[in-house]
Amino acid sequence: MELYFLGTNAGVPSLQRNVTSVALRLLEERGTIWLFDCGEGTQHQILRSPLKLSKLEYIFVTHMHGDHIFGLPGLLSSRGAQGAATKVTVFGPVGIQSFLQTALTLSQSRVNYPLDIVEHDGGVLLEDGTFKVEAARLEHRVDSYGYRITEKDRPGSLDLDQLQALGLKPGPLYGRLKRGESVELREGEMLHPSQVLLAPKKGRIVTILGDTRPCENVVPLAQDADVLLHEATFMHELADTAAEYFHSTSTQAAEAALQANARQLLLTHFSSRYKDVEHLQPLLEEAKAVFPDTKLAEDFALFPVTRRE
């Protein structure tokens, strides 16, 4: 599980940063990628990245502002032109269906693979054997949502030393035990998975927030998250400006991470007034003063999501 950034700027692109988009790479867990927002130029960013559109499974849109959605029609049509055939589902606020259907229809774009568009107003969006995705409304000029992605706990590894002590060699029985099946050692003697499986691997939690100023749903969405991705449009000296435009400062993002007991905070969605990484350092420093494990997102940066010990 890894986060790969395709755009970290707010509002409009700059020479240093594209507008918002981030991919959650789940190649080991599902063999797919999930995309969160798709600003203009996202497909160009993907061409310069190791990501493959053929692996795209879900797209989650936080809100309907152009710097988060203008790249969607082009990306979806290009995916079909590249020969991808697997289904893609787009989740987003009310309006996303009309926007995409209008853009694709009037441009006569062909999407020759299954495409579902699901509008929502929060709640549990999907849940299967590996992941659960929930959404809740934030506080922005339009309906904006944050997404909480929870990986289900996975069975622990086999205790190889114990298995060898029991005289079991690697083979089909190992697979059955790993799948939770009991096996017969000798006539009438059963070995149960609980006897030879180590502690379960705790599932990871990633929280990705759309544009927002501080509000009550931020902390529940980010509670105990392994990674919290939070906008930091301005330094805290511009807190009044941030509030006026329904955005957050780097200090406010750090305060949210602290209150939510997150493990790591990634800052993104930077105002164009901060032109390069050097100009972003003050935002990082003031966030780290509140929440030390904070990092700046950069275009084409990869952040692994590690498991808790």
Side-chain angles (χ1 to χ4, degrees):
M1 183 188 290
E2 301 161 319
L3 285 167
Y4 189 93
F5 286 87
L6 297 162
T8 56
N9 220 43
V12 296
S14 69
L15 291 175
Q16 295 77 26
R17 301 187 298 268
N18 198 46
V19 284
T20 299
S21 183
V22 60
L24 182 62
R25 297 210 310 180
L26 300 169
L27 300 182
E28 178 183 337
E29 294 80 10
R30 300 173 72 93
T32 64
I33 62 171
W34 297 359
L35 195 65
F36 292 80
D37 286 333
C38 186
E40 181 183 0
T42 294
Q43 66 170 311
H44 292 90
Q45 299 289 85
I46 289 176
L47 290 173
R48 299 169 59 195
S49 81
L51 304 177
K52 303 296 182 185
L53 282 179
S54 60
K55 299 288 187 181
L56 184 61
E57 182 181 18
Y58 294 116
I59 301 174
F60 298 90
V61 175
T62 62
H63 63 292
M64 294 297 294
H65 278 160
D67 57 322
H68 295 254
I69 64 168
F70 280 166
L72 274 171
L75 181 142
L76 291 171
S77 59
S78 292
R79 184 180 188 269
Q82 293 173 10
T86 55
K87 178 180 176 180
V88 170
T89 302
V90 180
F91 292 95
V94 172
I96 190 64
Q97 186 169 33
S98 175
F99 169 73
L100 283 176
Q101 288 180 340
T102 300
L104 293 172
T105 299
L106 293 181
S107 63
Q108 298 185 29
S109 298
R110 293 184 178 180
V111 178
N112 49 3
Y113 55 86
L115 175 64
D116 281 353
I117 305 170
V118 180
E119 296 186 338
H120 70 83
D121 59 0
V124 177
L125 303 184
L126 66 90
E127 185 169 9
D128 58 22
T130 55
F131 284 93
K132 178 181 181 181
V133 179
E134 303 164 271
R137 186 172 294 161
L138 303 172
E139 193 170 308
H140 195 47
R141 287 180 294 159
V142 298
D143 286 351
S144 182
Y145 290 87
Y147 295 98
R148 178 181 175 89
I149 305 97
T150 303
E151 180 186 29
K152 301 291 183 70
D153 292 350
R154 298 171 62 183
S157 301
L158 291 170
D159 188 335
L160 300 181
D161 291 338
Q162 187 175 0
L163 287 168
Q164 290 175 6
L166 292 168
L168 287 180
K169 296 181 179 180
L173 292 183
Y174 276 35
R176 290 178 58 189
L177 288 165
K178 184 71 174 177
R179 292 192 297 270
E181 302 173 19
S182 298
V183 301
E184 188 173 2
L185 290 180
R186 288 170 286 275
E187 185 175 350
E189 184 180 352
M190 300 298 295
L191 179 65
H192 303 289
S194 59
Q195 297 173 258
V196 291
L197 283 176
L198 300 175
K201 296 178 181 178
K202 182 68 175 174
R204 291 159 288 186
I205 299 171
V206 176
T207 299
I208 298 175
L209 302 183
D211 293 5
T212 187
R213 60 186 180 187
C215 65
E216 62 180 0
N217 279 340
V218 167
V219 171
L221 279 168
Q223 191 66 49
D224 299 322
D226 294 285
V227 175
L228 167 60
L229 179 58
H230 198 302
E231 70 134 286
T233 309
F234 301 105
M235 287 187 62
H236 202 62
E237 65 186 13
L238 295 174
D240 290 343
T241 301
E244 180 182 356
Y245 290 100
F246 292 83
H247 286 297
S248 297
T249 69
S250 50
T251 295
Q252 289 167 341
E255 290 170 345
L258 186 65
Q259 293 171 27
N261 191 38
R263 285 179 61 208
Q264 185 178 60
L265 171 64
L266 301 181
L267 301 179
T268 188
H269 198 269
F270 307 116
S271 167
S272 294
R273 71 180 60 213
Y274 311 110
K275 297 189 180 300
D276 51 34
V277 174
E278 180 181 350
H279 290 95
L280 289 173
Q281 290 306 307
L283 283 82
L284 178 62
E285 291 168 6
E286 66 180 18
K288 293 183 75 168
V290 176
F291 190 82
D293 197 352
T294 301
K295 292 182 172 62
L296 294 174
E298 300 179 42
D299 288 27
F300 306 113
L302 178 70
F303 291 90
V305 182
T306 58
R307 294 185 186 277
R308 294 176 184 260
E309 294 295 334

